[in-house]
Amino acid sequence: MRLMPRRVKFRKSHRGRIKGKATRGNTLAMGEYGLQSLESGWVSAEELEAGRVASSHFLGKSGRLFIRVFPHKSVTAKPIETRMGKGKGEPAYWAAVIKPGTILYELTGVPEDMAKQTFNRIAHKLSVKVRMVSRSA
Amino acid sequence: MASNVLTVETRDLLGSRGSRRLRRTGKVPVVLYGLRKDNIVLLTAERALKEVLKSGARIVSLRWDNQEEMALLKDLQYDAMGREILHADFVRIAMDKRIELRVHLELKGTPVGVTEGGVLEQTLREVLVECLPTAIPDKLFADVSGLKVGDSLTLKGVSLPSGVKLVHENLDIPVAIVRKPVEEVAKPAVEEEEAAKEPEVITRKPKEGEEAEEEK
């Protein structure tokens, strides 16, 4: 199921600016291996879900995947062929704001080569460049 | 337990600005403190420090200006990407006094539950122990081969070498769990529809005029 906040204070948010690198959520917390972002950007709930599905198809019942980010930000869009003005568009999707260094996913209970293959599959679903990190490295 | 020598120098460049300049030249700022003596600010070559880390040594002999002190690597700061070492903390130790430190915990064996389809999860990767500097273990081991699906191993199950004591107050903390495999259940279409809904908005109620406009 796509991730989305249950309750929000406001439906629409400002775009904001992504400055600097991640100073929180940039270390492994639960798993043996992690997928770390190398870029900043918005990762949509759809992308996160696609990554989760890709990993569960590959891993089956083995291992456990943790999603370390949550799409808190609503992103609005205007309908196509609409003239400018007339206010802000309607919320189109939810996204997680990602800074370089953020750990997006963590994995445990699988050998390293399997983790590598899983993260490779997930990376194809994401709109930011990522790299695999492990506790031993 | 491996012991290593790290050549250091005293430094005049202090603070974030000075440290940043040092790092640009391949050096790492280091501080040495403890045993109720004065703090000493030092620097070392990043490459030398990385070699010491690679060797797995916990007790390091710091050498500078005809001086030598035995110290324990207390803390390491990395940059946001976890690649470069920003700073290292060393604490002086007396070889006859017991010290507290964190030691890696490794699981040994393949649990029975894993062969039955369970997933082994390590919930604690480091344990706090007390021992003499001469008896610091490289790693601690916990045998998980007897765990079935749904079983967990607590700190009590960690095997300790002689002279090493656990500092944790609560020894019932689980270190490893063999979890049941989670099966993906096909979700009914109704849930998908619910997911498409917007979240509840916690704001002021709209004024009467606004409501009237919406009705129109």
Side-chain angles (χ1 to χ4, degrees):
Chain A
M1 205 173 84
R2 241 180 287 154
L3 293 169
M4 187 173 69
R6 246 181 236 136
R7 300 169 79 205
V8 289
K9 208 160 182 182
F10 302 105
R11 284 174 67 225
K12 300 172 187 176
S13 64
H14 290 177
R15 277 175 208 285
R17 230 180 100 192
I18 308 173
K19 292 201 289 182
K21 291 174 184 169
T23 53
R24 303 168 67 184
N26 58 354
T27 52
L28 292 176
M30 284 94 89
E32 202 81 27
Y33 309 99
L35 198 64
Q36 188 182 43
S37 168
L38 298 174
E39 291 177 333
S40 59
W42 292 341
V43 172
S44 69
E46 281 85 351
E47 287 173 48
L48 290 172
E49 173 65 7
R52 188 194 66 79
V53 170
S55 83
S56 74
H57 280 178
F58 182 66
L59 291 171
K61 288 179 184 177
S62 65
R64 185 173 178 189
L65 187 83
F66 302 91
I67 303 177
R68 288 284 308 276
V69 289
F70 188 86
H72 287 287
K73 189 183 186 70
S74 72
V75 180
T76 59
K78 277 177 176 285
I80 50 167
E81 295 190 359
T82 313
R83 286 182 186 275
M84 287 295 110
K86 308 286 175 203
K88 194 170 168 73
E90 287 304 304
Y93 63 94
W94 293 85
V97 179
I98 305 298
K99 287 183 175 188
T102 309
I103 303 285
L104 304 174
Y105 293 90
E106 283 187 31
L107 193 56
T108 189
V110 289
E112 190 174 356
D113 61 330
M114 206 161 173
K116 215 173 202 174
Q117 291 180 57
T118 312
F119 284 144
N120 187 22
R121 279 165 166 78
I122 296 176
H124 277 89
K125 306 288 178 191
L126 299 174
S127 57
V128 286
K129 275 187 189 171
V130 286
R131 68 164 183 162
M132 183 178 149
V133 288
S134 65
R135 281 186 188 270
S136 53
Chain B
M1 184 83 236
S3 161
N4 250 302
V5 178
L6 183 66
T7 312
V8 291
E9 295 168 45
T10 50
R11 69 176 150 110
D12 306 320
L13 289 169
L14 302 173
S16 57
R17 193 186 203 188
S19 301
R20 198 162 49 236
R21 285 177 182 174
L22 278 177
R23 284 181 205 117
R24 255 184 245 144
T25 59
K27 301 278 198 304
V28 176
V30 170
V31 66
L32 175 68
Y33 50 80
L35 293 182
R36 297 187 177 187
K37 291 181 191 172
D38 286 343
N39 295 356
I40 305 174
V41 283
L42 302 161
L43 65 90
T44 186
E46 192 184 1
R47 188 180 277 185
L49 183 61
K50 279 186 174 169
E51 272 176 26
V52 169
L53 293 175
K54 210 175 174 185
S55 73
R58 303 296 294 271
I59 304 290
V60 182
S61 169
L62 299 178
R63 277 186 197 161
W64 77 99
D65 301 340
N66 302 324
Q67 287 190 61
E68 186 169 351
E69 290 211 49
M70 296 301 279
L72 173 79
L73 181 62
K74 181 93 175 169
D75 193 25
L76 264 180
Q77 278 179 40
Y78 284 93
D79 71 329
M81 302 301 290
R83 283 173 175 169
E84 286 168 25
I85 301 170
L86 298 182
H87 189 269
D89 274 29
F90 285 93
V91 62
R92 292 188 189 97
I93 50 161
M95 297 309 271
D96 56 343
K97 275 191 181 173
R98 291 175 80 84
I99 50 171
E100 276 185 19
L101 76 162
R102 293 193 172 273
V103 177
H104 280 284
L105 178 68
E106 210 169 273
L107 305 180
K108 228 177 174 182
T110 310
V112 182
V114 170
T115 52
E116 289 168 0
V119 178
L120 175 67
E121 266 181 44
Q122 187 172 353
T123 49
L124 201 68
R125 287 164 209 278
E126 279 185 338
V127 282
L128 195 60
V129 296
E130 189 193 280
C131 62
L132 280 173
T134 49
I136 299 174
D138 285 338
K139 279 174 189 172
L140 290 178
F141 294 97
D143 187 17
V144 290
S145 52
L147 294 183
K148 292 174 188 167
V149 176
D151 284 357
S152 64
L153 186 81
T154 61
L155 271 175
K156 287 173 190 165
V158 176
S159 51
L160 297 168
S162 61
V164 179
K165 208 174 86 180
L166 283 176
V167 183
H168 295 265
E169 278 180 21
N170 184 6
L171 294 181
D172 292 325
I173 299 170
V175 295
I177 300 167
V178 179
R179 190 178 51 81
K180 273 185 193 171
V182 183
E183 284 183 58
E184 285 266 319
V185 185
K187 283 155 197 161
V190 185
E191 269 189 41
E192 284 294 316
E193 275 174 28
E194 276 179 19
K197 280 182 188 173
E198 280 196 15
E200 183 192 340
V201 183
I202 337 155
T203 42
R204 286 177 300 166
K205 284 178 187 172
K207 288 171 192 171
E208 282 177 22
E210 286 175 17
E211 272 181 0
E213 275 177 28
E214 277 173 18
E215 278 168 18
K216 282 174 192 175

